[in-house]
Amino acid sequence: MFRFHPWLLVVLALILPSSGKDTPTASPRFHVSESAKLLNRQGETVAVYGKVDTTRVSSSSGHHFLNFTGSDFSVICRAENLAAFSNGDPAKVFDGKLIEIRGPVRIFNGKPQISLIDPGQIRDLTAEKPKPKPFKLKPTGIDTWTSPAGLVFKGRDPRGLTRLEHIMRHAKDYPDRNGSHGVFDGDAKTIFMLLDEAWNVAQRKGVRPKVEDDRVAYSIPMSRRVGYLGGQTGKKKGHPPLHSVFIVLNRGTREVITAFPH
């Protein structure tokens, strides 16, 4: 029997910000989730961007650290360099901010790190993001919603879940599930915004779908992490990041059957 999920109310009230474009730099540029790639760039000057999730000040050394969830990459500002930051201590100024830092990659305890020595190395990208644009899934029928990009979430799956609830099953890992299971990063708002973004990318870049009977499947590269591999396979592999979105539609329509990180 179908059981109503309380978080569906959150999905129905989606109001999402649009994502801004990254400013290009002369140095090779990486997202903080690409820490494995940074390990191969030891000694090279690169630019790394991402949101600072936590900061820490060492009680023994006085060094400041900027950390990023889901990433081995970190930023260190040693106590002897703090005097250069007249606008405030890095651990306070950049806490919760979207930043870009440029500098040589060093490896510390097997993890990539950049030393913050001068204020010119780091840039607060938060203010560069455009004003948020409203994003809502519009009810367009019984168990039917349409996104701003024209994706249609219609009907129920064989379990009796609406298509919104079906997709939200990929917002959580099921570690005992046989095989692999793509798990989205973020909450409902982030996920449905991402699907619209992926669909627009597919149209702009001419991504060709795989046709199977009455369905078409798009594998859309997003050039950044959008989730991770879960299930039994993902657990064995250490939950590697996923960078593409897989969307399955009813052939000849924009009706979404399922979608998940790929």
Side-chain angles (χ1 to χ4, degrees):
M1 179 182 294
F2 168 71
R3 188 168 66 181
F4 180 78
H5 292 264
W7 47 254
L8 180 58
L9 294 175
V10 178
V11 178
L12 301 182
L14 288 174
I15 302 177
L16 308 179
S18 62
S19 58
K21 292 184 177 180
D22 299 316
T23 304
T25 65
S27 305
R29 195 167 189 257
F30 300 89
H31 185 260
V32 292
S33 63
E34 299 178 287
S35 53
K37 293 182 180 179
L38 291 172
L39 289 174
N40 297 321
R41 298 279 183 160
Q42 183 173 7
E44 287 187 44
T45 296
V46 302
V48 182
Y49 71 98
K51 183 180 178 182
V52 178
D53 291 297
T54 61
T55 63
R56 181 173 67 87
V57 178
S58 172
S59 58
S60 58
S61 66
H63 299 342
H64 286 218
F65 296 88
L66 311 183
N67 302 304
F68 308 84
T69 296
S71 175
D72 288 334
F73 173 76
S74 65
V75 175
I76 179 174
C77 183
R78 291 179 171 77
E80 58 266 29
N81 297 314
L82 291 173
F85 294 84
S86 57
N87 290 332
D89 292 340
K92 292 182 179 180
V93 173
F94 299 109
D95 190 15
K97 297 294 181 67
L98 178 67
I99 62 100
E100 178 186 82
I101 181 167
R102 187 179 292 102
V105 176
R106 64 188 294 265
I107 308 301
F108 182 74
N109 286 341
K111 299 178 181 181
Q113 189 176 81
I114 288 180
S115 294
L116 179 58
I117 299 171
D118 182 271
Q121 286 180 258
I122 194 167
R123 195 155 57 101
D124 183 356
L125 302 180
T126 310
E128 298 182 14
K129 297 177 72 175
K131 272 191 173 183
K133 296 179 181 179
F135 178 107
K136 289 186 178 181
L137 290 177
K138 181 181 178 182
T140 51
I142 298 175
D143 294 334
T144 305
W145 297 268
T146 302
S147 74
L151 293 176
V152 179
F153 305 89
K154 181 178 180 180
R156 296 178 181 271
D157 70 5
R159 298 184 182 204
L161 300 176
T162 67
R163 290 300 166 185
L164 300 185
E165 293 172 318
H166 177 92
I167 290 169
M168 285 302 294
R169 283 177 59 82
H170 289 281
K172 175 184 176 182
D173 186 19
Y174 296 88
D176 296 328
R177 178 172 174 169
N178 289 332
S180 59
H181 175 62
V183 184
F184 284 112
D185 288 333
D187 57 11
K189 294 181 178 182
T190 304
I191 291 168
F192 286 94
M193 178 271 291
L194 174 65
L195 296 186
D196 254 24
E197 182 188 355
W199 179 250
N200 288 331
V201 168
Q203 302 309 296
R204 186 172 68 251
K205 294 188 175 181
V207 176
R208 300 184 67 175
K210 182 178 180 181
V211 180
E212 295 182 358
D213 299 325
D214 59 346
R215 298 181 176 187
V216 293
Y218 290 82
S219 182
I220 307 164
M222 299 302 294
S223 301
R224 70 177 190 275
R225 171 179 166 139
V226 295
Y228 62 91
L229 189 66
Q232 292 182 5
T233 301
K235 185 177 180 179
K236 289 179 182 177
K237 294 183 176 181
H239 302 295
L242 301 176
H243 301 85
S244 296
V245 174
F246 196 74
I247 300 178
V248 181
L249 307 177
N250 280 318
R251 189 174 182 180
T253 74
R254 292 190 180 184
E255 295 174 3
V256 179
I257 298 172
T258 190
F260 49 86
H262 180 62

